[in-house]
Amino acid sequence: MKTPFSFIILISFSWAIGLKGLIIPENGHVLSMASTGIAGGFSPGLNPAIHESEHSYIQFSLNRWFADIKGSHMAYQWGRAAPQTISIQSWNANDLELWGEQPNSSPLGTFGVHYMSVAYSISHDLNTPYRFGIRIQANYTHLYTEFMNGITLDAGVLFPLSSLINIGGVVRNIGYENTNNLTAELPMEMGMGTELKLPFQMSLLTDIVLSEKETDIRIGYRTHWKWLNMHAGISIHDKRTSRAAGFSFTFRDWLINYGIYNHENSILGIPQFLDVRRYI
């Protein structure tokens, strides 16, 4: 299927696969909370400082982002006191129509956009009451005849203030990129978050995420029940507001996560992610 984008609009959409792909949610759980959870300690993509892990697992995700961009995410996590995670993420858009600056009845041709990243993270308490973590990621993007690649570093920390309140901090995307005829800046971010544990095994999470040109305020909640759990979140920006929701279902050694993301501009489509996890 061919997608009729003009070249300029296409570049803006496809840019989400490039270095902006560094901040696309990596799985359904993160998507369903609108990327809220810096203090949650459950995803190294949000904060590499995560809680101790009771079980190792393998996870595979099938993802659909804006503008029919399709991707996948694979992760393997092991270690109890010092959980480590290796993940591979990819995004692709094929058969995109290339239109020039002048009006024309037919496109100039078609091309594709491809993004891939490999990440490793580790978290430990360093013999303190706190959790610390780092995450290293290598990425590669191919857009039309251009390409870019780079390495980034994330660092985070979790502070338990009490049995009911956690706070977290993270710095993401510290690094560099090599480009071929394409100039780009890494979308470096700094974030602070809180987690408040509520009655009935629920958590309320709040984040503030700062970058060079924008600020996001995020609010989310999730449950901690035995089999079926619900997640939801909202991301508020001065130019847009996005909402997300989802659920997870656990049965024996299997976990299924589903997340859906609603943006104000419906013409871009509705992102949906599905995760399948096997505990080992």
Side-chain angles (χ1 to χ4, degrees):
M1 182 180 67
K2 297 182 179 179
T3 306
F5 290 132
S6 70
F7 183 72
I8 296 176
I9 296 178
L10 173 62
I11 292 298
S12 65
F13 287 173
S14 300
W15 186 244
I17 303 182
L19 292 176
K20 287 291 185 181
L22 298 167
I23 55 177
I24 293 178
E26 61 184 8
N27 56 53
H29 191 173
V30 176
L31 179 80
S32 67
M33 297 184 64
S35 296
T36 310
I38 291 175
F42 61 86
S43 171
L46 295 175
N47 186 349
I50 61 176
H51 294 303
E52 291 187 1
S53 177
E54 296 183 2
H55 306 284
S56 301
Y57 66 78
I58 298 174
Q59 179 169 298
F60 182 78
S61 306
L62 291 176
N63 308 325
R64 183 186 295 271
W65 192 237
F66 291 118
D68 203 33
I69 297 172
K70 299 177 182 179
S72 64
H73 179 264
M74 294 177 288
Y76 171 52
Q77 181 172 299
W78 74 98
R80 182 183 178 89
Q84 303 174 65
T85 307
I86 293 177
S87 63
I88 301 174
Q89 186 179 39
S90 66
W91 292 95
N92 298 280
N94 298 310
D95 294 330
L96 300 172
E97 293 181 350
L98 175 62
W99 296 79
E101 297 180 358
Q102 301 297 325
N104 200 326
S105 60
S106 60
L108 302 177
T110 62
F111 66 101
V113 184
H114 309 282
Y115 168 82
M116 177 170 286
S117 68
V118 179
Y120 167 80
S121 66
I122 184 170
S123 176
H124 200 278
D125 60 14
L126 301 181
N127 297 320
T128 71
Y130 316 120
R131 300 291 300 181
F132 304 90
I134 59 171
R135 184 173 188 256
I136 301 173
Q137 177 171 298
N139 58 83
Y140 173 81
T141 303
H142 186 191
L143 169 61
Y144 194 37
T145 60
E146 317 295 343
F147 72 87
M148 67 177 68
N149 57 74
I151 297 177
T152 60
L153 172 70
D154 302 348
V157 62
L158 287 178
F159 296 100
L161 297 184
S162 69
S163 61
L164 299 178
I165 302 176
N166 293 322
I167 63 173
V170 65
V171 178
R172 289 194 287 255
N173 300 337
I174 304 170
Y176 70 93
E177 82 281 4
N178 295 317
T179 63
N180 175 26
N181 300 325
L182 188 61
T183 301
E185 295 181 357
L186 291 174
M188 182 178 172
E189 292 184 345
M190 299 178 62
M192 294 288 295
T194 65
E195 179 186 31
L196 175 62
K197 297 181 181 178
L198 303 174
F200 308 108
Q201 295 182 299
M202 298 175 60
S203 291
L204 176 67
L205 301 103
T206 60
D207 292 350
I208 180 168
V209 180
L210 307 174
S211 63
E212 293 181 0
K213 299 181 179 179
E214 58 187 32
T215 300
D216 270 12
I217 297 175
R218 301 170 184 172
I219 303 172
Y221 91 93
R222 62 178 184 144
T223 61
H224 307 276
W225 302 331
K226 186 174 182 180
W227 291 301
L228 180 65
N229 285 285
M230 311 303 294
H231 321 128
I234 182 171
S235 175
I236 303 171
H237 183 270
D238 58 356
K239 296 182 180 178
R240 52 106 182 115
T241 299
S242 303
R243 297 171 178 85
F247 68 88
S248 62
F249 178 74
T250 304
F251 180 72
R252 295 182 178 176
D253 296 330
W254 294 90
L255 171 70
I256 295 176
N257 277 315
Y258 171 77
I260 186 169
Y261 187 86
N262 183 32
H263 191 272
E264 291 177 343
N265 193 343
S266 60
I267 194 173
L268 300 179
I270 300 178
Q272 300 179 65
F273 291 12
L274 177 66
D275 313 331
V276 178
R277 179 182 297 183
R278 176 70 160 84
Y279 292 104
I280 55 179

